[in-house]
Amino acid sequence: MSEHRRKPPQPQGGGRAAARRGQSGSSSGRRAAPRGATGSPADYGLGQGSTDEERSYGGRAEARRAAQRTGGGRRRAAEPGRGGRRGAPGGPGGPGRGRGRTAPPARKRFIDYPRAGKYGAARWVPSWRLVTGLFIGFFGSMVAVAGIAYAMVGVPDLARTAKAQNNVFYWSDGSEMVATGGETNRQIVNLAQIPKNMQYAVISQENKTFETDSGIDPKGIARAVFNMARGGETQGGSTITQQYVKNAMLNDQSQTVSRKFKEIFVSIKVGATKSKDEIMAGYLNSAYYGRGAYGIQAAARAYFNEDAVDLDAGQCAFLAAMLKGATYYDPAGSTSIDQAATPEANSRRALAQMQDTLNKMVEYHHLDAGTRAKYTKLPDVKNPRSNTALGGQVGYLVDLAKAYLVNNTNISATKLQQGGYSIYTTFDKKKVKELEASVKNVQKNNIKPKERPKTDTHVQFGGASVDPTTGAIKAIYGGEDATKHFTNNADQTGAQVGSTFKPFVLAAAMKWGVRDKSLGPEQAQDERTQVSPKSLYSGKNKLKIKEYDNTVWKNDKGEEWLQTNDGNESYGSPPKYQIDLREAMRESVNSAYVQLGMDVGLDKVKEAAMDAGLKKNSLAGTSFPSFSIGISDPSAIRMAGAYATFAASGKRHDPFSVTKVTSVDGTVFTHEDKPVDAFTPKVADNVTDVLRTVVEKGTGTAAQLTGRQVAGKTGTTDGNKSAWFVGYTPQLSTSITMFRYNDDESEKNRTFLEMYGTGGQKKIHGASFPAEIWHDYMAEALKNEPPKNFPTPEPIGEIVNDVPSPTLPPTPSATLTSPTPSPTPSETLTSPSPSASESCKFSWQCSTTGGTDTGGTDGGVTSSPTATDTSGTGNSRGNGNGGIFGGPTG
């Protein structure tokens, strides 16, 4: 028989027939014991009194059934006394005839699982003995581990807390800019020097059971562990004891479950070995209150210039709010970290938190209602002190780099505060110094607040320079000094951009085209005519602005919009005053570009601006005709970046300030360039070609650079409250802004101020001081770089409104009632400051081919949107609209 068909071993027990035969043999005595047997009859399965052996009989089928009953644990074994045909001993009547041996008994298992002797699902249900044993073993192991962990951890050493490391910032050439962020401003004081109001403020707000609890909050711990297990942020300590321990573990801030458990064991040990007074003193002396201040004494000095022992209840409640996170509660604001952390917003949050703390102190009987009633306003908070190493422009650069990291990487503000990073920036040391020098030169020679206090006070400048090929921010001018003027004028100002917005209207007209006026609204969206720069529009002053279907636009009050030009000048020849879009850009004619924006659709103008690189939350009044002439307030960085998109033939590289970050763990961040095709090269290059006209013979002649092609645009706003020049070469895009802003913290209503008469000028235009600064800086910044030319633009679009006028070329109309034509630069922009040798340094000072920036003001008969308009105007400083990296809708 083949191997794979071999029969299984035959059982030793017989069937019933064998048993019967065994009994029969026993009674008859016909069978003798086997030959050679020497044992007793019982050894052979003989019954009592039996002397004969009964031969076991059974067929193969019976043997097979017996084997199945004993195998696999599923059938019972052969019953005793039932001998098999082969090898099985007989039953009580006598042994079987077979020659097999008795199977050994099954060995008992240490863990009876699956359970023996059970069948089906019951085999897999553990016994109560097994469950109890496992529980005892697990619990015992946990107790052992906890005991070891408890023994190994130590209580915090207050003298070793708050040891944050420095962050080192590097210039773009790899040289060190500054090491900062790890300063430890802390002085330990004993509990007697900490007011009871401060102790009860944190108890009331953070841990009302502090005086009686064990130091840990099991529910809070479970919440934190569960949150970490899901991949979320770890939570802070739930009790004051846990928060103290967390503060003391600055050297280990890893966001892991193991660290959390270590923190728990330290908290338990602190709670068991330290008094409540010691824990409270340790917490208040180690906590971070913002402004680089660790501990209550440093915080009292940083915010109030007082000693901690002298703080009143209101000041204590205020400082308790700072423990929630000074980034969002410090009234000075932290817009460099988050554009939502404006001074106004932070002040509101701080006041609300302070009042809530005071109310809870009364509720928990730590403060009487009469005393609480004295503190309904924020205490008088001093200006923040700054590291002197962050003076000049360095502080603005550091803030910009930190903001970029917080808003674009996994590095949080807390991690930055803890330090230990090497941050490699895009900032060019030489260009930063040159931009600052250009601003200070103009400021020194022209802005004289002592001589002209009514017009030359509160004058501010801002600027930014971006590489069009990468988006790298090469230089910024944030203000006079980062330790004195805290708002970064390059990153957010709230100053409207005026006519520098017009290139986005032209780009929209070239990209999408104007709508067909003969069609309905829905069909007209699809039926469009791409616009050529030769297209003709009316340059008439007080022009009735129409919808694309020729109906006159009216506001929500039913008032018609009559768009004025700066100086109330009309351009073009009567009666139609037609002027092509190139000339309208050159002379900055408002009426032409406002009507163009309506024909294209303000939604498309908005889209073009965002495609170029402006942020959505900086665009204001998007449903008003004046949207096309710059009532929005993007930052100088964003304006430089948006114009850089045109310089790069339509490829947008978003501005960035950090190329790489490393730590002891290696490289933790590397910038990746992700260019976006915002416009086709045909569209972008035609916009550039039109903007070259502005610099060559328009309002921007002051920005001309010898031997270089320059494109740019001037901008002046309604009420002469801000002025801009934004321009670029193929290698560098730079924006300069100027405005007057009441930045006196004692003023309740901070507003932009008019600049009529500022710097000795009748009116400030983008063609004046902003263009002068731009020229001086760019001349130095590009000194060692060979000139490059812009691409030659391909013809684009169709000539819209092609009804040429038979009369004069497009110049200010001589038929108007104005006694003089549009004022020339030499008439309106004279400045007594430059020396005689410099009197013709700029074309706007001595040339009649250019002209002032005559556009960008709102000028409508109906007023422009107010600050309360739902679409917003950006008139309010610190609203977060102009920031580059932060903000809720970034």
Side-chain angles (χ1 to χ4, degrees):
M1 182 180 294
S2 66
E3 181 68 22
H4 67 278
R5 293 176 60 86
R6 182 174 299 153
K7 295 294 184 180
Q10 297 303 311
Q12 293 179 343
R16 292 181 179 176
R20 285 195 299 270
R21 287 191 294 270
Q23 292 171 355
S24 174
S26 146
S27 61
S28 64
R30 288 182 299 176
R31 299 288 183 186
R35 285 179 298 176
T38 58
S40 68
D43 292 335
Y44 300 98
L46 301 179
Q48 292 180 356
S50 298
T51 58
D52 295 329
E53 176 189 11
E54 175 65 39
R55 178 180 178 184
S56 297
Y57 292 93
R60 292 184 178 180
E62 181 65 22
R64 189 159 49 258
R65 285 193 295 270
Q68 291 171 349
R69 283 193 296 271
T70 61
R74 300 187 64 178
R75 290 183 174 85
R76 60 188 178 86
E79 296 179 9
R82 296 182 181 180
R85 185 174 180 181
R86 288 185 183 176
R97 185 180 178 186
R99 293 185 293 269
R101 292 177 300 175
T102 302
R107 290 198 315 173
K108 204 168 185 178
R109 292 179 294 173
F110 180 73
I111 298 177
D112 185 21
Y113 193 79
R115 299 176 66 182
K118 300 290 183 180
Y119 309 104
R123 296 188 67 228
W124 304 98
V125 177
S127 67
W128 67 269
R129 293 185 181 86
L130 178 61
V131 172
T132 303
L134 289 175
F135 176 78
I136 293 173
F138 175 76
F139 184 75
S141 299
M142 292 299 295
V143 170
V145 170
I148 294 171
Y150 182 85
M152 291 181 65
V153 299
V155 297
D157 180 359
L158 187 59
R160 299 177 59 188
T161 63
K163 296 293 184 182
Q165 303 176 64
N166 276 327
N167 292 317
V168 182
F169 293 80
Y170 295 90
W171 295 103
S172 58
D173 64 0
S175 61
E176 183 175 319
M177 178 196 305
V178 66
T180 184
E183 302 80 23
T184 304
N185 175 21
R186 185 180 58 129
Q187 179 182 350
I188 297 175
V189 293
N190 59 44
L191 194 64
Q193 295 174 285
I194 302 175
K196 282 291 185 182
N197 282 325
M198 188 66 211
Q199 300 175 46
Y200 287 128
V202 296
I203 289 174
S204 300
Q205 188 59 254
E206 300 180 31
N207 185 192
K208 65 180 181 180
T209 62
F210 167 73
E211 294 174 310
T212 58
D213 65 31
S214 62
I216 62 171
D217 176 12
K219 290 183 179 179
I221 292 169
R223 241 185 350 260
V225 173
F226 178 70
N227 196 42
M228 285 185 289
R230 294 190 308 165
E233 285 284 330
T234 55
Q235 298 173 324
S238 300
T239 68
I240 287 176
T241 303
Q242 287 178 263
Q243 292 182 54
Y244 166 48
V245 170
K246 185 175 185 296
N247 294 339
M249 294 173 65
L250 276 173
N251 292 332
D252 179 13
Q253 291 292 319
S254 56
Q255 308 296 312
T256 61
V257 174
S258 62
R259 181 198 175 278
K260 195 68 182 177
F261 276 111
K262 180 180 179 182
E263 186 179 305
I264 292 168
F265 283 114
V266 175
S267 299
I268 294 172
K269 197 162 190 175
V270 168
T273 59
K274 296 281 188 181
S275 69
K276 291 294 183 179
D277 283 353
E278 289 177 301
I279 294 171
M280 176 60 72
Y283 172 56
L284 293 176
N285 275 309
S286 63
Y288 182 64
Y289 297 79
R291 299 191 178 186
Y294 287 91
I296 184 63
Q297 175 65 18
R301 283 291 174 187
Y303 287 94
F304 307 115
N305 198 26
E306 296 181 11
D307 288 325
V309 70
D310 297 323
L311 296 175
D312 60 34
Q315 292 171 324
C316 290
F318 171 86
L319 290 179
M322 295 305 104
L323 295 174
K324 306 287 287 185
T327 296
Y328 299 100
Y329 290 91
D330 186 347
S334 300
T335 51
S336 63
I337 298 298
D338 190 332
Q339 292 301 314
T342 64
E344 292 79 8
N346 279 16
S347 296
R348 287 194 299 270
R349 283 188 284 262
L351 179 60
Q353 185 69 18
M354 171 186 164
Q355 297 301 305
D356 182 64
T357 299
L358 290 169
N359 290 339
K360 288 180 178 177
M361 291 173 71
V362 173
E363 179 183 351
Y364 303 140
H365 309 293
H366 299 311
L367 185 69
D368 64 88
T371 303
R372 185 261 175 273
K374 298 178 183 178
Y375 305 107
T376 58
K377 298 180 180 179
L378 283 177
D380 184 18
V381 178
K382 305 299 181 183
N383 276 332
R385 294 181 174 183
S386 300
N387 181 352
T388 55
L390 301 177
Q393 299 306 302
V394 172
Y396 301 123
L397 298 173
V398 167
D399 285 347
L400 197 63
K402 288 165 64 177
Y404 179 79
L405 292 177
V406 170
N407 290 285
N408 295 276
T409 73
N410 293 324
I411 302 173
S412 66
T414 301
K415 290 180 180 178
L416 276 176
Q417 178 61 40
Q418 293 160 8
Y421 294 105
S422 294
I423 301 168
Y424 297 84
T425 74
T426 61
F427 307 130
D428 186 308
K429 184 176 182 179
K430 178 175 175 287
K431 288 181 172 63
V432 170
K433 289 184 176 180
E434 288 162 347
L435 181 54
E436 182 179 31
S438 298
V439 172
K440 287 188 173 181
N441 182 60
V442 167
Q443 201 165 24
K444 179 181 178 181
N445 291 334
N446 299 282
I447 309 302
K448 303 183 183 298
K450 291 183 179 180
E451 295 179 12
R452 296 182 290 267
K454 292 184 178 181
T455 60
D456 286 21
T457 53
H458 307 297
V459 175
Q460 296 287 333
F461 293 92
S465 200
V466 173
D467 183 347
T469 62
T470 64
I473 303 172
K474 292 298 183 182
I476 64 167
Y477 180 82
E480 178 185 359
D481 190 312
T483 63
K484 299 176 182 178
H485 174 78
F486 304 110
T487 301
N488 187 343
N489 292 344
D491 195 29
Q492 58 105 13
T493 63
Q496 295 178 348
V497 295
S499 290
T500 56
F501 197 82
K502 289 173 182 172
F504 307 124
V505 183
L506 181 60
M510 291 180 176
K511 182 174 182 177
W512 289 288
V514 296
R515 294 171 287 187
D516 190 330
K517 297 182 179 182
S518 65
L519 301 174
E522 295 183 4
Q523 192 176 359
Q525 290 291 345
D526 299 324
E527 298 294 331
R528 291 174 173 270
T529 303
Q530 196 175 28
V531 171
S532 164
K534 297 179 181 180
S535 296
L536 301 174
Y537 273 81
S538 176
K540 183 181 179 180
N541 185 51
K542 294 185 179 179
L543 178 69
K544 278 189 178 182
I545 299 302
K546 299 180 179 180
E547 300 278 7
Y548 80 94
D549 59 359
N550 281 324
T551 59
V552 177
W553 187 91
K554 295 180 180 180
N555 65 10
D556 55 1
K557 298 179 180 179
E559 299 169 329
E560 294 183 350
W561 188 276
L562 301 179
Q563 182 60 55
T564 64
N565 295 323
D566 189 52
N568 287 317
E569 297 286 350
S570 289
Y571 290 81
S573 301
K576 293 187 176 182
Y577 296 99
Q578 284 187 322
I579 183 173
D580 70 37
L581 293 178
R582 181 184 296 274
E583 293 301 306
M585 186 73 77
R586 181 175 77 88
E587 297 295 340
S588 202
V589 181
N590 289 340
S591 54
Y593 274 90
V594 169
Q595 186 58 62
L596 176 64
M598 297 298 288
D599 290 352
V600 174
L602 297 180
D603 59 330
K604 295 299 184 185
V605 174
K606 175 182 176 181
E607 189 173 343
M610 293 173 61
D611 285 346
L614 300 190
K615 297 175 68 175
K616 182 179 180 180
N617 65 328
S618 71
L619 302 178
T622 56
S623 60
F624 287 81
S626 56
F627 174 62
S628 294
I629 51 174
I631 60 175
S632 299
D633 62 350
S635 68
I637 292 173
R638 284 289 170 181
M639 286 300 290
Y643 272 49
T645 300
F646 298 130
S649 294
K651 196 171 290 292
R652 186 184 80 227
H653 301 264
D654 287 326
F656 71 100
S657 56
V658 178
T659 58
K660 183 177 68 172
V661 178
T662 62
S663 70
V664 292
D665 299 322
T667 300
V668 296
F669 167 75
T670 302
H671 171 76
E672 295 181 12
D673 188 18
K674 298 178 180 178
V676 176
D677 291 324
F679 305 103
T680 64
K682 183 183 288 188
V683 169
D685 293 342
N686 271 279
V687 172
T688 295
D689 192 56
V690 171
L691 294 182
R692 285 184 60 195
T693 306
V694 175
V695 176
E696 290 172 357
K697 52 182 178 179
T699 60
T701 53
Q704 292 176 357
L705 297 174
T706 304
R708 292 184 184 275
Q709 293 184 355
V710 175
K713 184 71 187 75
T714 54
T716 306
T717 56
D718 193 24
N720 201 212
K721 294 178 180 178
S722 61
W724 291 72
F725 184 81
V726 188
Y728 54 94
T729 68
Q731 297 117 307
L732 202 59
S733 176
T734 300
S735 64
I736 302 294
T737 181
M738 176 182 177
F739 53 91
R740 288 183 69 209
Y741 188 81
N742 191 344
D743 204 21
D744 186 346
E745 67 174 356
S746 65
E747 292 291 333
K748 299 296 183 183
N749 299 314
R750 300 178 178 181
T751 56
F752 284 89
L753 306 175
E754 295 179 342
M755 293 191 292
Y756 297 110
T758 299
Q761 304 292 324
K762 182 179 179 181
K763 180 179 181 180
I764 298 297
H765 297 86
S768 56
F769 300 133
E772 180 179 347
I773 293 170
W774 189 96
H775 171 275
D776 287 356
Y777 162 68
M778 292 289 281
E780 291 298 318
L782 298 173
K783 180 181 290 185
N784 297 322
E785 296 188 31
K788 290 185 178 181
N789 294 332
F790 293 113
T792 302
E794 299 179 21
I796 191 172
E798 299 180 21
I799 301 176
V800 178
N801 305 324
D802 188 13
V803 184
S805 174
T807 54
L808 300 174
T811 57
S813 173
T815 62
L816 296 178
T817 56
S818 178
T820 58
S822 176
T824 64
S826 59
E827 292 173 325
T828 62
L829 297 177
T830 56
S831 172
S833 301
S835 63
S837 61
E838 296 176 322
S839 60
C840 285
K841 178 179 179 180
F842 302 102
S843 57
W844 57 264
Q845 292 175 319
C846 52
S847 170
T848 59
T849 61
T852 62
D853 170 23
T854 55
T857 59
D858 177 81
V861 172
T862 58
S863 60
S864 59
T866 65
T868 58
D869 186 87
T870 55
S871 57
T873 65
N875 258 347
S876 175
R877 182 117 177 251
N879 59 10
N881 288 349
I884 172 176
F885 297 127
T889 56

